[in-house]
Amino acid sequence: MIYTLTFSPAIDYVVYLDHMEPGATNRSLRENYYYGGKGINVSTILTRLGIENTALGFVAGFTGRELEQGLKKKGIHTDFIHLEDGITRINIKLKTDRETEINTQGAAITPDKLEELLVKLDDLKQEDILVISGSVPNTLPDNIYEVILGRLEGRNVRYVVDAAGQLLKKVLKFRPFFVKPNLAELEELAGQKIKTDDDLREDAGRLQALGAQNVLVSLGKDGAYLLCEDGREYRMKAIPQKAKNTVGAGDSMVAGFLAGYLEKKDYQYALEMGTAAGSATACSDDLATRDKVMEFYQELNHVKGE
């Protein structure tokens, strides 16, 4: 079973405007809302690709109930912990000629509720996969990733980590199955700009030397790069399409890679599915549908064959 963990899920409220004038009343062209959070995004794409999984995390108040019920209507299995105070956050995305985001704090996670999560994670068993991603809310200890993976150590649970900076670096000792930094995050960890393929190989190799089994790097318009546990490298070109939505593209890549690997146990195919899923979401208003992912997979193989 795959489990995704989202500490602070959100309802993303997207408002489209012709233009926005600060300090004045602005009227929208249209609005929409989506259920968000990095782990939830991964669960959504996995579900759409037919991969059974469970979304874990914390919800609170009327917004938490809406998010939980909405995900269940979409066929996504959840096992959330309910906080007694506050509400699940609502993030505001303002889309004009440029995008402005307001990400809110959300409800506080109390020590007893955190312990409830840790006890729930104790049920994970051999060959289960835990996807843990995103930043840590300020109501949790900043070493919570280490606490969780340390508690699971020795059970042959496989970890997928999508995080930045020291949050990622400090959990490499637990030998995650794969990590997925983007180019900027890899450069931050390396302390230098990546200018060549040799730089990319060298800096991904440093993460591998610190413990990561596989290193998947999302490169935006330049596609993706994978350094495998056996030393093999794969590079995938991006599909030449105009991006309209970057939110969730990296999470979609994680889900697509996992789905591809579980289907064929083949890293090249996993990278192709990851790239297709990430690109499909980047070219959609919401997270990509299965049909869109498979359309992009076919297009990707056409481009690869040219």
Side-chain angles (χ1 to χ4, degrees), residues 47-78:
T47 300
R48 291 177 179 177
L49 293 176
I51 304 296
E52 185 179 358
N53 71 94
T54 298
L56 304 173
F58 300 90
V59 294
F62 74 99
T63 50
R65 290 191 295 274
E66 165 59 29
L67 184 143
E68 185 172 32
Q69 292 167 7
L71 290 175
K72 288 181 178 178
K73 288 178 182 177
K74 292 176 179 290
I76 299 165
H77 184 250
T78 66

PDB file of all heavy atoms in Angstrom, residues 47-78:
ATOM      1  N   THR A  47      -4.527   7.798  -7.763  1.00  0.00           N
ATOM      2  CA  THR A  47      -5.880   7.256  -7.880  1.00  0.00           C
ATOM      3  C   THR A  47      -6.350   7.299  -9.319  1.00  0.00           C
ATOM      4  O   THR A  47      -6.945   6.339  -9.832  1.00  0.00           O
ATOM      5  CB  THR A  47      -6.841   8.034  -6.968  1.00  0.00           C
ATOM      6  OG1 THR A  47      -6.392   7.924  -5.607  1.00  0.00           O
ATOM      7  CG2 THR A  47      -8.260   7.491  -7.068  1.00  0.00           C
ATOM      8  N   ARG A  48      -6.090   8.403 -10.011  1.00  0.00           N
ATOM      9  CA  ARG A  48      -6.507   8.530 -11.409  1.00  0.00           C
ATOM     10  C   ARG A  48      -5.767   7.546 -12.316  1.00  0.00           C
ATOM     11  O   ARG A  48      -6.275   7.165 -13.371  1.00  0.00           O
ATOM     12  CB  ARG A  48      -6.304   9.970 -11.883  1.00  0.00           C
ATOM     13  CG  ARG A  48      -7.268  10.945 -11.217  1.00  0.00           C
ATOM     14  CD  ARG A  48      -7.040  12.384 -11.604  1.00  0.00           C
ATOM     15  NE  ARG A  48      -8.019  13.239 -10.931  1.00  0.00           N
ATOM     16  CZ  ARG A  48      -8.049  14.560 -11.024  1.00  0.00           C
ATOM     17  NH1 ARG A  48      -7.156  15.203 -11.777  1.00  0.00           N
ATOM     18  NH2 ARG A  48      -8.967  15.262 -10.375  1.00  0.00           N
ATOM     19  N   LEU A  49      -4.575   7.116 -11.885  1.00  0.00           N
ATOM     20  CA  LEU A  49      -3.808   6.144 -12.658  1.00  0.00           C
ATOM     21  C   LEU A  49      -4.087   4.713 -12.214  1.00  0.00           C
ATOM     22  O   LEU A  49      -3.426   3.776 -12.669  1.00  0.00           O
ATOM     23  CB  LEU A  49      -2.311   6.450 -12.553  1.00  0.00           C
ATOM     24  CG  LEU A  49      -1.856   7.758 -13.209  1.00  0.00           C
ATOM     25  CD1 LEU A  49      -0.369   8.000 -12.956  1.00  0.00           C
ATOM     26  CD2 LEU A  49      -2.147   7.757 -14.705  1.00  0.00           C
ATOM     27  N   GLY A  50      -5.054   4.559 -11.311  1.00  0.00           N
ATOM     28  CA  GLY A  50      -5.472   3.224 -10.899  1.00  0.00           C
ATOM     29  C   GLY A  50      -4.615   2.583  -9.835  1.00  0.00           C
ATOM     30  O   GLY A  50      -4.665   1.353  -9.655  1.00  0.00           O
ATOM     31  N   ILE A  51      -3.827   3.375  -9.089  1.00  0.00           N
ATOM     32  CA  ILE A  51      -2.952   2.844  -8.047  1.00  0.00           C
ATOM     33  C   ILE A  51      -3.595   3.076  -6.682  1.00  0.00           C
ATOM     34  O   ILE A  51      -3.839   4.224  -6.287  1.00  0.00           O
ATOM     35  CB  ILE A  51      -1.562   3.509  -8.081  1.00  0.00           C
ATOM     36  CG1 ILE A  51      -0.925   3.349  -9.464  1.00  0.00           C
ATOM     37  CG2 ILE A  51      -0.675   2.933  -6.993  1.00  0.00           C
ATOM     38  CD1 ILE A  51      -0.635   1.933  -9.877  1.00  0.00           C
ATOM     39  N   GLU A  52      -3.852   2.007  -5.958  1.00  0.00           N
ATOM     40  CA  GLU A  52      -4.486   2.113  -4.646  1.00  0.00           C
ATOM     41  C   GLU A  52      -3.560   2.828  -3.671  1.00  0.00           C
ATOM     42  O   GLU A  52      -2.358   2.553  -3.621  1.00  0.00           O
ATOM     43  CB  GLU A  52      -4.824   0.716  -4.123  1.00  0.00           C
ATOM     44  CG  GLU A  52      -5.601   0.714  -2.816  1.00  0.00           C
ATOM     45  CD  GLU A  52      -5.932  -0.685  -2.335  1.00  0.00           C
ATOM     46  OE1 GLU A  52      -5.581  -1.663  -3.042  1.00  0.00           O
ATOM     47  OE2 GLU A  52      -6.535  -0.803  -1.262  1.00  0.00           O
ATOM     48  N   ASN A  53      -4.119   3.743  -2.892  1.00  0.00           N
ATOM     49  CA  ASN A  53      -3.318   4.476  -1.923  1.00  0.00           C
ATOM     50  C   ASN A  53      -4.220   5.079  -0.858  1.00  0.00           C
ATOM     51  O   ASN A  53      -5.449   5.109  -1.012  1.00  0.00           O
ATOM     52  CB  ASN A  53      -2.502   5.571  -2.615  1.00  0.00           C
ATOM     53  CG  ASN A  53      -3.350   6.721  -3.109  1.00  0.00           C
ATOM     54  OD1 ASN A  53      -3.512   7.727  -2.425  1.00  0.00           O
ATOM     55  ND2 ASN A  53      -3.938   6.570  -4.298  1.00  0.00           N
ATOM     56  N   THR A  54      -3.628   5.560   0.210  1.00  0.00           N
ATOM     57  CA  THR A  54      -4.354   6.213   1.290  1.00  0.00           C
ATOM     58  C   THR A  54      -3.697   7.546   1.618  1.00  0.00           C
ATOM     59  O   THR A  54      -2.474   7.606   1.808  1.00  0.00           O
ATOM     60  CB  THR A  54      -4.375   5.337   2.557  1.00  0.00           C
ATOM     61  OG1 THR A  54      -5.052   4.116   2.270  1.00  0.00           O
ATOM     62  CG2 THR A  54      -5.090   6.044   3.709  1.00  0.00           C
ATOM     63  N   ALA A  55      -4.494   8.610   1.683  1.00  0.00           N
ATOM     64  CA  ALA A  55      -3.992   9.935   2.037  1.00  0.00           C
ATOM     65  C   ALA A  55      -4.114  10.144   3.541  1.00  0.00           C
ATOM     66  O   ALA A  55      -5.208  10.053   4.105  1.00  0.00           O
ATOM     67  CB  ALA A  55      -4.769  11.014   1.291  1.00  0.00           C
ATOM     68  N   LEU A  56      -2.996  10.403   4.190  1.00  0.00           N
ATOM     69  CA  LEU A  56      -2.954  10.696   5.613  1.00  0.00           C
ATOM     70  C   LEU A  56      -2.716  12.191   5.819  1.00  0.00           C
ATOM     71  O   LEU A  56      -2.196  12.874   4.941  1.00  0.00           O
ATOM     72  CB  LEU A  56      -1.818   9.921   6.287  1.00  0.00           C
ATOM     73  CG  LEU A  56      -1.798   8.401   6.121  1.00  0.00           C
ATOM     74  CD1 LEU A  56      -0.513   7.825   6.715  1.00  0.00           C
ATOM     75  CD2 LEU A  56      -3.019   7.772   6.769  1.00  0.00           C
ATOM     76  N   GLY A  57      -3.079  12.681   6.998  1.00  0.00           N
ATOM     77  CA  GLY A  57      -2.843  14.086   7.303  1.00  0.00           C
ATOM     78  C   GLY A  57      -3.795  14.575   8.371  1.00  0.00           C
ATOM     79  O   GLY A  57      -4.433  13.781   9.072  1.00  0.00           O
ATOM     80  N   PHE A  58      -3.895  15.896   8.494  1.00  0.00           N
ATOM     81  CA  PHE A  58      -4.704  16.520   9.532  1.00  0.00           C
ATOM     82  C   PHE A  58      -5.724  17.457   8.889  1.00  0.00           C
ATOM     83  O   PHE A  58      -5.384  18.226   7.985  1.00  0.00           O
ATOM     84  CB  PHE A  58      -3.817  17.331  10.478  1.00  0.00           C
ATOM     85  CG  PHE A  58      -2.766  16.520  11.182  1.00  0.00           C
ATOM     86  CD1 PHE A  58      -1.512  16.343  10.614  1.00  0.00           C
ATOM     87  CD2 PHE A  58      -3.026  15.934  12.408  1.00  0.00           C
ATOM     88  CE1 PHE A  58      -0.534  15.593  11.260  1.00  0.00           C
ATOM     89  CE2 PHE A  58      -2.064  15.189  13.063  1.00  0.00           C
ATOM     90  CZ  PHE A  58      -0.807  15.014  12.490  1.00  0.00           C
ATOM     91  N   VAL A  59      -6.960  17.392   9.361  1.00  0.00           N
ATOM     92  CA  VAL A  59      -7.991  18.318   8.900  1.00  0.00           C
ATOM     93  C   VAL A  59      -8.721  18.898  10.105  1.00  0.00           C
ATOM     94  O   VAL A  59      -8.693  18.328  11.201  1.00  0.00           O
ATOM     95  CB  VAL A  59      -9.008  17.635   7.953  1.00  0.00           C
ATOM     96  CG1 VAL A  59      -8.336  17.217   6.653  1.00  0.00           C
ATOM     97  CG2 VAL A  59      -9.662  16.429   8.617  1.00  0.00           C
ATOM     98  N   ALA A  60      -9.385  20.043   9.881  1.00  0.00           N
ATOM     99  CA  ALA A  60     -10.075  20.706  10.992  1.00  0.00           C
ATOM    100  C   ALA A  60     -11.245  21.527  10.476  1.00  0.00           C
ATOM    101  O   ALA A  60     -11.205  22.089   9.372  1.00  0.00           O
ATOM    102  CB  ALA A  60      -9.099  21.623  11.752  1.00  0.00           C
ATOM    103  N   GLY A  61     -12.306  21.591  11.277  1.00  0.00           N
ATOM    104  CA  GLY A  61     -13.418  22.498  11.022  1.00  0.00           C
ATOM    105  C   GLY A  61     -14.216  22.191   9.769  1.00  0.00           C
ATOM    106  O   GLY A  61     -14.109  21.128   9.164  1.00  0.00           O
ATOM    107  N   PHE A  62     -15.044  23.176   9.361  1.00  0.00           N
ATOM    108  CA  PHE A  62     -15.937  22.961   8.230  1.00  0.00           C
ATOM    109  C   PHE A  62     -15.182  22.813   6.916  1.00  0.00           C
ATOM    110  O   PHE A  62     -15.607  22.078   6.019  1.00  0.00           O
ATOM    111  CB  PHE A  62     -16.965  24.095   8.139  1.00  0.00           C
ATOM    112  CG  PHE A  62     -16.419  25.403   7.626  1.00  0.00           C
ATOM    113  CD1 PHE A  62     -16.594  25.777   6.303  1.00  0.00           C
ATOM    114  CD2 PHE A  62     -15.734  26.262   8.483  1.00  0.00           C
ATOM    115  CE1 PHE A  62     -16.096  26.974   5.825  1.00  0.00           C
ATOM    116  CE2 PHE A  62     -15.229  27.464   8.010  1.00  0.00           C
ATOM    117  CZ  PHE A  62     -15.414  27.833   6.676  1.00  0.00           C
ATOM    118  N   THR A  63     -14.043  23.481   6.792  1.00  0.00           N
ATOM    119  CA  THR A  63     -13.258  23.330   5.565  1.00  0.00           C
ATOM    120  C   THR A  63     -12.605  21.948   5.508  1.00  0.00           C
ATOM    121  O   THR A  63     -12.455  21.367   4.432  1.00  0.00           O
ATOM    122  CB  THR A  63     -12.189  24.429   5.464  1.00  0.00           C
ATOM    123  OG1 THR A  63     -11.458  24.485   6.701  1.00  0.00           O
ATOM    124  CG2 THR A  63     -12.811  25.782   5.180  1.00  0.00           C
ATOM    125  N   GLY A  64     -12.228  21.443   6.659  1.00  0.00           N
ATOM    126  CA  GLY A  64     -11.664  20.098   6.711  1.00  0.00           C
ATOM    127  C   GLY A  64     -12.685  19.048   6.320  1.00  0.00           C
ATOM    128  O   GLY A  64     -12.374  18.090   5.605  1.00  0.00           O
ATOM    129  N   ARG A  65     -13.934  19.233   6.776  1.00  0.00           N
ATOM    130  CA  ARG A  65     -14.996  18.292   6.405  1.00  0.00           C
ATOM    131  C   ARG A  65     -15.261  18.342   4.906  1.00  0.00           C
ATOM    132  O   ARG A  65     -15.460  17.303   4.261  1.00  0.00           O
ATOM    133  CB  ARG A  65     -16.274  18.606   7.191  1.00  0.00           C
ATOM    134  CG  ARG A  65     -16.184  18.293   8.683  1.00  0.00           C
ATOM    135  CD  ARG A  65     -17.538  18.360   9.355  1.00  0.00           C
ATOM    136  NE  ARG A  65     -18.110  19.703   9.338  1.00  0.00           N
ATOM    137  CZ  ARG A  65     -17.858  20.632  10.254  1.00  0.00           C
ATOM    138  NH1 ARG A  65     -17.029  20.368  11.262  1.00  0.00           N
ATOM    139  NH2 ARG A  65     -18.430  21.826  10.190  1.00  0.00           N
ATOM    140  N   GLU A  66     -15.261  19.543   4.340  1.00  0.00           N
ATOM    141  CA  GLU A  66     -15.477  19.683   2.899  1.00  0.00           C
ATOM    142  C   GLU A  66     -14.353  18.999   2.123  1.00  0.00           C
ATOM    143  O   GLU A  66     -14.617  18.276   1.138  1.00  0.00           O
ATOM    144  CB  GLU A  66     -15.549  21.167   2.521  1.00  0.00           C
ATOM    145  CG  GLU A  66     -15.420  21.474   1.038  1.00  0.00           C
ATOM    146  CD  GLU A  66     -16.477  20.813   0.166  1.00  0.00           C
ATOM    147  OE1 GLU A  66     -17.605  20.564   0.668  1.00  0.00           O
ATOM    148  OE2 GLU A  66     -16.180  20.529  -1.006  1.00  0.00           O
ATOM    149  N   LEU A  67     -13.122  19.213   2.534  1.00  0.00           N
ATOM    150  CA  LEU A  67     -11.994  18.615   1.844  1.00  0.00           C
ATOM    151  C   LEU A  67     -12.062  17.089   1.911  1.00  0.00           C
ATOM    152  O   LEU A  67     -11.891  16.393   0.906  1.00  0.00           O
ATOM    153  CB  LEU A  67     -10.682  19.124   2.448  1.00  0.00           C
ATOM    154  CG  LEU A  67      -9.389  18.671   1.765  1.00  0.00           C
ATOM    155  CD1 LEU A  67      -8.357  19.792   1.767  1.00  0.00           C
ATOM    156  CD2 LEU A  67      -8.797  17.453   2.464  1.00  0.00           C
ATOM    157  N   GLU A  68     -12.339  16.558   3.094  1.00  0.00           N
ATOM    158  CA  GLU A  68     -12.394  15.112   3.268  1.00  0.00           C
ATOM    159  C   GLU A  68     -13.522  14.496   2.434  1.00  0.00           C
ATOM    160  O   GLU A  68     -13.321  13.502   1.728  1.00  0.00           O
ATOM    161  CB  GLU A  68     -12.592  14.783   4.748  1.00  0.00           C
ATOM    162  CG  GLU A  68     -12.539  13.299   5.079  1.00  0.00           C
ATOM    163  CD  GLU A  68     -12.547  13.057   6.575  1.00  0.00           C
ATOM    164  OE1 GLU A  68     -13.167  13.864   7.310  1.00  0.00           O
ATOM    165  OE2 GLU A  68     -11.942  12.065   6.999  1.00  0.00           O
ATOM    166  N   GLN A  69     -14.701  15.105   2.496  1.00  0.00           N
ATOM    167  CA  GLN A  69     -15.839  14.578   1.742  1.00  0.00           C
ATOM    168  C   GLN A  69     -15.615  14.729   0.233  1.00  0.00           C
ATOM    169  O   GLN A  69     -15.974  13.841  -0.554  1.00  0.00           O
ATOM    170  CB  GLN A  69     -17.113  15.290   2.171  1.00  0.00           C
ATOM    171  CG  GLN A  69     -17.536  14.965   3.599  1.00  0.00           C
ATOM    172  CD  GLN A  69     -18.613  15.901   4.136  1.00  0.00           C
ATOM    173  OE1 GLN A  69     -19.158  16.725   3.398  1.00  0.00           O
ATOM    174  NE2 GLN A  69     -18.912  15.783   5.426  1.00  0.00           N
ATOM    175  N   GLY A  70     -15.011  15.852  -0.167  1.00  0.00           N
ATOM    176  CA  GLY A  70     -14.751  16.076  -1.583  1.00  0.00           C
ATOM    177  C   GLY A  70     -13.775  15.066  -2.159  1.00  0.00           C
ATOM    178  O   GLY A  70     -13.955  14.584  -3.278  1.00  0.00           O
ATOM    179  N   LEU A  71     -12.731  14.738  -1.398  1.00  0.00           N
ATOM    180  CA  LEU A  71     -11.770  13.744  -1.860  1.00  0.00           C
ATOM    181  C   LEU A  71     -12.416  12.369  -1.970  1.00  0.00           C
ATOM    182  O   LEU A  71     -12.170  11.623  -2.934  1.00  0.00           O
ATOM    183  CB  LEU A  71     -10.570  13.683  -0.907  1.00  0.00           C
ATOM    184  CG  LEU A  71      -9.639  14.908  -0.922  1.00  0.00           C
ATOM    185  CD1 LEU A  71      -8.580  14.759   0.149  1.00  0.00           C
ATOM    186  CD2 LEU A  71      -8.998  15.093  -2.288  1.00  0.00           C
ATOM    187  N   LYS A  72     -13.258  12.027  -1.009  1.00  0.00           N
ATOM    188  CA  LYS A  72     -13.928  10.725  -1.054  1.00  0.00           C
ATOM    189  C   LYS A  72     -14.844  10.623  -2.268  1.00  0.00           C
ATOM    190  O   LYS A  72     -14.940   9.568  -2.902  1.00  0.00           O
ATOM    191  CB  LYS A  72     -14.709  10.497   0.238  1.00  0.00           C
ATOM    192  CG  LYS A  72     -13.806  10.217   1.437  1.00  0.00           C
ATOM    193  CD  LYS A  72     -14.602   9.979   2.712  1.00  0.00           C
ATOM    194  CE  LYS A  72     -13.658   9.654   3.879  1.00  0.00           C
ATOM    195  NZ  LYS A  72     -14.387   9.453   5.156  1.00  0.00           N
ATOM    196  N   LYS A  73     -15.509  11.731  -2.629  1.00  0.00           N
ATOM    197  CA  LYS A  73     -16.362  11.726  -3.818  1.00  0.00           C
ATOM    198  C   LYS A  73     -15.548  11.500  -5.081  1.00  0.00           C
ATOM    199  O   LYS A  73     -16.059  10.978  -6.075  1.00  0.00           O
ATOM    200  CB  LYS A  73     -17.131  13.045  -3.914  1.00  0.00           C
ATOM    201  CG  LYS A  73     -18.248  13.197  -2.891  1.00  0.00           C
ATOM    202  CD  LYS A  73     -18.930  14.544  -3.028  1.00  0.00           C
ATOM    203  CE  LYS A  73     -20.011  14.720  -1.966  1.00  0.00           C
ATOM    204  NZ  LYS A  73     -20.638  16.075  -2.043  1.00  0.00           N
ATOM    205  N   LYS A  74     -14.281  11.888  -5.041  1.00  0.00           N
ATOM    206  CA  LYS A  74     -13.404  11.686  -6.190  1.00  0.00           C
ATOM    207  C   LYS A  74     -12.742  10.311  -6.177  1.00  0.00           C
ATOM    208  O   LYS A  74     -11.882  10.009  -7.007  1.00  0.00           O
ATOM    209  CB  LYS A  74     -12.325  12.776  -6.224  1.00  0.00           C
ATOM    210  CG  LYS A  74     -12.859  14.178  -6.520  1.00  0.00           C
ATOM    211  CD  LYS A  74     -11.754  15.208  -6.445  1.00  0.00           C
ATOM    212  CE  LYS A  74     -12.260  16.604  -6.766  1.00  0.00           C
ATOM    213  NZ  LYS A  74     -12.618  16.777  -8.172  1.00  0.00           N
ATOM    214  N   GLY A  75     -13.130   9.488  -5.204  1.00  0.00           N
ATOM    215  CA  GLY A  75     -12.596   8.131  -5.134  1.00  0.00           C
ATOM    216  C   GLY A  75     -11.264   8.005  -4.441  1.00  0.00           C
ATOM    217  O   GLY A  75     -10.604   6.961  -4.533  1.00  0.00           O
ATOM    218  N   ILE A  76     -10.852   9.043  -3.711  1.00  0.00           N
ATOM    219  CA  ILE A  76      -9.558   9.027  -3.023  1.00  0.00           C
ATOM    220  C   ILE A  76      -9.760   8.562  -1.582  1.00  0.00           C
ATOM    221  O   ILE A  76     -10.537   9.155  -0.825  1.00  0.00           O
ATOM    222  CB  ILE A  76      -8.907  10.425  -3.064  1.00  0.00           C
ATOM    223  CG1 ILE A  76      -8.674  10.825  -4.525  1.00  0.00           C
ATOM    224  CG2 ILE A  76      -7.608  10.447  -2.274  1.00  0.00           C
ATOM    225  CD1 ILE A  76      -8.384  12.286  -4.722  1.00  0.00           C
ATOM    226  N   HIS A  77      -9.071   7.507  -1.218  1.00  0.00           N
ATOM    227  CA  HIS A  77      -9.207   6.958   0.134  1.00  0.00           C
ATOM    228  C   HIS A  77      -8.410   7.811   1.119  1.00  0.00           C
ATOM    229  O   HIS A  77      -7.239   8.108   0.887  1.00  0.00           O
ATOM    230  CB  HIS A  77      -8.711   5.513   0.182  1.00  0.00           C
ATOM    231  CG  HIS A  77      -8.919   4.873   1.515  1.00  0.00           C
ATOM    232  ND1 HIS A  77      -7.886   4.570   2.372  1.00  0.00           N
ATOM    233  CD2 HIS A  77     -10.056   4.500   2.158  1.00  0.00           C
ATOM    234  CE1 HIS A  77      -8.373   4.024   3.477  1.00  0.00           C
ATOM    235  NE2 HIS A  77      -9.686   3.975   3.359  1.00  0.00           N
ATOM    236  N   THR A  78      -9.048   8.225   2.206  1.00  0.00           N
ATOM    237  CA  THR A  78      -8.387   9.067   3.201  1.00  0.00           C
ATOM    238  C   THR A  78      -8.461   8.440   4.585  1.00  0.00           C
ATOM    239  O   THR A  78      -9.355   7.636   4.877  1.00  0.00           O
ATOM    240  CB  THR A  78      -9.034  10.467   3.270  1.00  0.00           C
ATOM    241  OG1 THR A  78     -10.375  10.340   3.758  1.00  0.00           O
ATOM    242  CG2 THR A  78      -9.057  11.125   1.896  1.00  0.00           C
TER     243      THR A  78
END
